[in-house]
Amino acid sequence: MRKAVFPGSFDPITNGHEDIIRRALPLFDEIIIAIGINAEKKYMFPLEKRKEFMEETFKDEPKIKVATYKGLTIDFCKQNNAQFILRGLRNPADFEFEKAIAHTNRVLSKIETVFLLTAASTSYISSSIVRDVLRNNGDYKVLVPKAVRKEL
């Protein structure tokens, strides 16, 4: 069974995240969306709300599971028998950052990282941009999935 973990804080999920996950479905038998918990980080949305957004967005996808975790992503992968980490790349800066993490993960665990390029139509979207738009009462609706739109 080819199982991948798609880790992130997803504060909130964006159309870019959704696109990467849906395009990865044919590649894996199961994808675990792993929402990381970082006590050092200040989130706009509480963990349970971020999990609800994910579950609602992918409620009709039986190959997708949603979980939360603390600690190293590779430890979460091992606990869930996942052989792959799925990551999306928007730009060259993302690649350089993700490449270093992928090399480290492979050395520490032999877990491979699979990169998908974001679609051109979503490559400019990030959770931090969405949060900024929300804080300033901008029109965020074109940036996030329906589950987030209907909640806000």
Side-chain angles (χ1 to χ4, degrees):
M1 175 183 237
R2 292 177 322 240
K3 191 183 292 191
V5 167
F6 187 55
S9 58
F10 306 110
D11 187 33
I13 178 179
T14 69
N15 289 341
H17 294 131
E18 181 180 12
D19 173 66
I20 291 291
I21 294 164
R22 291 197 188 279
R23 288 179 29 235
L25 281 169
L27 304 176
F28 302 103
D29 300 306
E30 181 177 303
I31 297 173
I32 302 171
I33 300 168
I35 305 169
I37 302 166
N38 182 344
E40 310 283 310
K41 208 169 175 185
K42 292 205 184 266
Y43 296 106
M44 178 174 269
F45 297 95
L47 179 63
E48 281 308 311
K49 184 55 64 185
R50 290 180 279 144
K51 190 171 185 235
E52 283 175 32
F53 289 156
M54 284 294 186
E55 290 169 340
E56 176 66 21
T57 299
F58 297 104
K59 66 183 176 196
D60 297 325
E61 293 295 345
K63 291 168 57 172
I64 293 177
K65 309 254 182 306
V66 180
T68 62
Y69 76 105
K70 284 184 183 177
L72 295 176
T73 302
I74 56 172
D75 291 340
F76 180 81
C77 289
K78 289 176 190 175
Q79 292 162 6
N80 288 277
N81 299 313
Q83 308 88 351
F84 304 96
I85 295 172
L86 174 64
R87 299 299 292 161
L89 299 174
R90 292 172 299 185
N91 54 50
D94 279 356
F95 174 72
E96 290 302 324
F97 177 76
E98 294 291 346
K99 179 177 73 166
I101 295 170
H103 285 314
T104 303
N105 287 341
R106 193 173 339 115
V107 167
L108 296 177
S109 69
K110 308 293 184 238
I111 294 171
E112 288 290 343
T113 301
V114 175
F115 297 111
L116 291 182
L117 298 177
T118 56
S121 61
T122 61
S123 65
Y124 65 95
I125 303 171
S126 69
S127 292
S128 56
I129 288 173
V130 171
R131 289 191 305 271
D132 196 43
V133 169
L134 284 166
R135 272 190 220 96
N136 291 288
N137 300 314
D139 186 7
Y140 61 89
K141 293 180 176 97
V142 297
L143 306 173
V144 296
K146 182 179 175 184
V148 179
R149 290 191 310 261
K150 87 177 182 189
E151 178 68 25
L152 304 177

